[in-house]
Amino acid sequence: MTALCAQESIYNLLPRVEEKPIKLPRYISTFRPSVKHEIEENRAPWKTMGPPKIEVPSPKNFLQKHSKEPKLPHRKRDEGRKRLLTIPSVPHVTDHPLMGIQSKKNFINTNAANVIMGVAKKPQPICVDTRQGNKYLLETSGLVPKYINKKDYGLTPKYVIKRSEEVKRAQEEYDAYVKETLRQKAMKRLSDEERESLLQCVLHMGCCWTDLEWRTAGENV
């Protein structure tokens, strides 16, 4: 209630002068002149306004019918005459064909002899798989066991044998290489004579070392 009374005042009836906000100056980049100059230099004619002006085709040169179709070369008249000369002429009414020419060959007996002496054709085996009579050749159907009758049936192919030999040879070479490497890196094995001589040398050196220690100890005392 006190807030509402505070807002009501007689001074509010007096006209007030509208205070216009101060408008700050617009920001202008310091690089504006250089950018504008660079754009003016790089501007090309007709870069954004379409193609340059070209000559407009005349309305008289409009597209005509069949003008785009390929044209055949013009045939000469002499070529047509030569072609007509090669065609035999039509026989005349008075021309008669050769009559009375007969062959002494007996075609009936010849055909009968060829049939009798010829080898009879073997019927191709077929397979019928439905009751309606659908049939197909039996040889190409895959039902004939013709692969088991081959000479190399059940034998290992040559390329498999060759491949196995190559793998075996590679494994043998690798094993030999590993053995040679281990032999080179292994310690030398001494014989019995060398071992005995080496032990004698070590014992002799130990005795000499002990004697030397006793002498050194006696001199210090």
Side-chain angles (χ1 to χ4, degrees):
M1 190 67 181
T2 56
L4 293 175
C5 296
Q7 290 179 0
E8 295 181 359
S9 176
I10 193 172
Y11 294 102
N12 293 335
L13 300 175
L14 296 176
R16 294 183 179 182
V17 179
E18 295 182 1
E19 297 180 358
K20 294 183 179 181
I22 300 173
K23 189 175 182 181
L24 298 176
R26 187 177 63 177
Y27 171 78
I28 298 176
S29 176
T30 56
F31 301 100
R32 179 184 176 87
S34 60
V35 172
K36 188 175 182 180
H37 179 69
E38 186 177 355
I39 292 174
E40 291 292 338
E41 286 184 351
N42 297 333
R43 181 176 294 175
W46 306 103
K47 191 171 184 179
T48 58
M49 299 301 293
K53 291 183 179 180
I54 57 176
E55 186 178 356
V56 181
S58 175
K60 295 180 180 180
N61 299 331
F62 56 89
L63 183 63
Q64 298 180 357
K65 188 177 182 181
H66 304 295
S67 61
K68 296 293 183 178
E69 295 180 357
K71 295 182 180 180
L72 299 176
H74 183 67
R75 189 177 65 177
K76 299 179 180 179
R77 295 183 179 180
D78 297 338
E79 294 179 359
R81 291 181 179 179
K82 289 180 181 179
R83 186 178 179 183
L84 292 175
L85 291 175
T86 56
I87 300 174
S89 59
V90 179
H92 200 263
V93 178
T94 58
D95 295 341
H96 299 284
L98 296 176
M99 304 295 289
I101 299 176
Q102 296 181 358
S103 176
K104 295 181 180 181
K105 183 178 180 180
N106 192 347
F107 291 96
I108 297 175
N109 296 337
T110 304
N111 294 338
N114 292 335
V115 171
I116 294 170
M117 301 298 295
V119 180
K121 293 183 179 180
K122 294 182 179 180
Q124 293 182 346
I126 58 176
C127 178
V128 180
D129 57 350
T130 60
R131 60 182 181 180
Q132 281 80 14
N134 296 332
K135 58 184 180 179
Y136 50 87
L137 296 178
L138 186 62
E139 185 178 359
T140 58
S141 63
L143 301 175
V144 181
K146 58 183 179 180
Y147 291 101
I148 62 175
N149 298 326
K150 289 187 175 181
K151 295 181 180 180
D152 57 349
Y153 177 76
L155 300 177
T156 306
K158 294 181 179 180
Y159 72 93
V160 177
I161 297 174
K162 183 178 179 181
R163 179 63 177 170
S164 301
E165 292 177 355
E166 291 178 356
V167 172
K168 185 177 179 181
R169 191 184 308 111
Q171 185 66 30
E172 291 176 356
E173 292 177 358
Y174 176 74
D175 295 340
Y177 169 74
V178 172
K179 289 181 180 179
E180 183 65 21
T181 305
L182 294 176
R183 188 184 63 80
Q184 292 178 0
K185 294 182 178 181
M187 299 178 65
K188 184 179 180 181
R189 186 172 183 179
L190 300 177
S191 60
D192 295 340
E193 292 82 3
E194 293 177 350
R195 182 171 176 275
E196 291 295 334
S197 61
L198 184 61
L199 289 175
Q200 292 296 332
C201 292
V202 173
L203 291 174
H204 180 66
M205 290 175 64
C207 294
C208 293
W209 181 258
T210 306
D211 189 13
L212 182 61
E213 285 184 347
W214 280 104
R215 291 179 183 179
T216 307
E219 290 178 359
N220 292 334
V221 173

